[in-house]
Amino acid sequence: MAAAPTPSAPLVCQKCQEPTTMSCSSATGRNPLLRACNGCLATERWLTRSSARPKVGKTESEQDKERRVSALQVKEDLKKKTPEEKAQWYQSQKLQRAQEEQSKKRTFSSAVGSVEDIREKQNISDDVESFVTFRTWAQQELTLKTFSTLAEAKVAWEKKIKDPNTRTMQKHGETLMYEFRGRMDIGSQEDLDEYHEESGSRMKRARQRLDIETAAKFEAGEAELEKPVPLLTVSKDIGQLKEIEESRDEELFSLATKVAAEKKAQQALKKEELEKKPKSLPLEKLAFEAARKKAIQSMSDVGLRLRSSLTAQDTELEKTLETESQDLRDERSEKVKEIDQMLASVQEAMQEKDLEWKEWENSTCPEDLALKKSINDREKAAAKTSANKKLSGGEKNLALLAADLCGCTLEPTGSVDYSYIGPNLLKKNSPLAFEKARSSQLTATIRGLEYYRLQKSWVAEKMKSANTSSSTAMISKKPVVKKLGDVLLRSWSEIYGGAEERACLTGVPEDMKDHFVVQFGQRMKKTCSVLFRTDLNLPTLVVVLEGRLTIGGFRQRVLKGSTEAEKAAEVDALKAPDVQRIVNKDGWVVKLEAESSMVLPPDTVFFEIASDEDVHTVRQLLGRECFLPCAKEYLKALKSAGNLQEGSRMHKMLEYLKMDRASAS
Ligand SMILES: [Zn+2]
């Protein structure tokens, strides 16, 4: 309970916490200074009335019951509110009441008045019972500021009741003091008696009072009529009162409904949050994991590149300083060593960071079945949506199949061409193999390249960090690309075609150009991949530089499915013996040693198995004019199956191929 304010402090309503006056409020308890304003009292009465059970013996109508339940709900809700919320609620109720009454006043027309319950009660008792208690007396005196403190009033009261001229009486053991209120003149003693005798409704009495007052005013002159009738608050006629009550009931009901709806919404929200939590975690984990891998990848790429350039510069310096003094040469090795150490510490810091992130990843979201499932689903979804997918990456079964194929002994088989025949490659999808001599110039050139040595270690690191068994890396050094391109053209001229056929790729979309750059391929020993088709479904030249590679495949036409997805599912379901059976019956197997080379045909499912040493290859997509329809048909099929996103690289490529064909024909 709030402490009583000191008399100098403004009087505040205990319900709505808004300032009030003595005359516009009543005490809420024994302490006369703890007040509730008339507005809040009306709200309280309304709530109490609405929530009251029917009197014993009386039946409750359905409507009354509904009203009572609603009121109880609002009361219950009110109990749970904080003091601030409570005050706010009372304020809003008061405001609403005032607005309602304001709007009713505007439509007020009849002279029938009613008396607001509390005022009537208070005023009538004031008039009839003119003996007041100390509390009542003190309230008035304090309001009138006759005394500034309750103690002062008490002293004055004691003095007054001891005065023999003061009329007092005893009631319930308390001394009451007679007080002239100036209201006894409104009627005769009969009027007064009537108040006591009348057992009819208060409304009737009030109306009578109003009549008397109006008559008195009328006699006093017309001007007096304009003035408000004292004591009585003529505010609404009976019908309007009922209307207001009804609208209050409606409001009560809607308030209760709102409370119930809010509760329900809160519960639903809680439930949703609970459900969401375990579901969203795997996605967040995946996002974090991806971000971590990407960060580590790009950092290690930079590190490796720096190391490569350091090695290159070191070699160069060594040559330059060959004829210089020993001091200078010593300085060189010292400096190089310093940089080397710095790079090593960077590497170390990076690994530390990676471990820290990994730990965070695992501690925040422990791997569980739901998580694993989610990751698998996501991978599958990603594999399905990405065009030109390499099935070996995404599909679990294909990875298993690849692992099984590693252990198989596959002997060369099937129809293989040894010289280029266009229709065989494109229509029959026959592989094309070349004798070793064909690659001698290329392998000699590459072995002499410092770049090749550097990229080998770089790609090996990349594969380790990405946890893959194979990788292809575009050659980024322009002079090297040019040099190798020239050798490739000279050595495999019939595959590349004439100059005008190769010119067809000018204007290829910028982000697709990488596909046509010469690449170095690397495969770890004793690993295998199964691929659904070549990149962009274009014939691809593969030259083995080091190691031994077994490549086998079969035409996609062997598969029963009609769509890409159906065929992919079919391949995914294959076991190693199935593949062996198919290649022996309808496919082919080629064994490539170092310096051997071949062209992979389009529309072909193929696998490649590394022997017991790492395999290094050169790979080149053949973007020759007469091969491009393979890519176009493939991309068109992807598009019609809805797997080609508008604006994606592949989509742009298809647009380019369409345009190119149109202008060429
Ligand atoms: Zn109030």
Side-chain angles (χ1 to χ4, degrees), residues 326-365:
Q326 183 62 39
D327 281 357
L328 211 56
R329 274 184 282 162
D330 284 348
E331 201 190 330
R332 168 209 145 234
S333 47
E334 213 177 284
K335 284 270 187 281
V336 169
K337 212 169 152 191
E338 239 175 71
I339 299 172
D340 195 81
Q341 272 166 357
M342 267 149 74
L343 278 175
S345 72
V346 166
Q347 198 88 16
E348 236 172 68
M350 197 182 78
Q351 270 159 5
E352 258 173 45
K353 204 80 208 159
D354 194 20
L355 278 177
E356 191 186 312
W357 286 340
K358 263 188 198 151
E359 208 174 277
W360 185 87
E361 216 174 83
N362 292 330
S363 68
T364 322
C365 176

Side-chain angles (χ1 to χ4, degrees), residues 13 15-17 36-37 39-40 94:
C13 167
K15 298 284 181 193
C16 64
Q17 306 298 329
C37 71
C40 291
K94 196 165 67 172

Side-chain angles (χ1 to χ4, degrees), residues 7 28 105 165 303 447 476:
T28 53
K105 259 181 196 161
N165 291 325
R447 277 178 193 145
S476 56

Side-chain angles (χ1 to χ4, degrees), residues 520-540:
F520 280 133
Q522 203 156 328
R523 169 167 297 286
M524 276 156 83
K525 60 185 171 190
K526 290 180 181 164
T527 64
C528 169
S529 287
V530 180
L531 292 106
F532 197 57
R533 60 170 83 247
T534 56
D535 194 9
L536 283 174
N537 199 38
L538 283 173
T540 305

Side-chain angles (χ1 to χ4, degrees), residues 405-416:
L405 280 173
C406 273
C408 291
T409 35
L410 287 150
E411 292 308 320
T413 181
S415 97
V416 178

Side-chain angles (χ1 to χ4, degrees), residues 371-408:
L371 171 65
K372 277 181 185 156
K373 187 183 176 305
S374 161
I375 292 173
N376 283 343
D377 287 351
R378 211 179 139 91
E379 275 174 358
K380 270 184 194 159
K384 269 175 196 154
T385 46
S386 78
N388 194 38
K389 61 190 168 180
K390 292 189 176 175
L391 293 180
S392 60
E395 309 274 336
K396 271 264 162 348
N397 293 338
L398 275 191
L400 288 176
L401 172 63
D404 283 350
L405 280 173
C406 273
C408 291

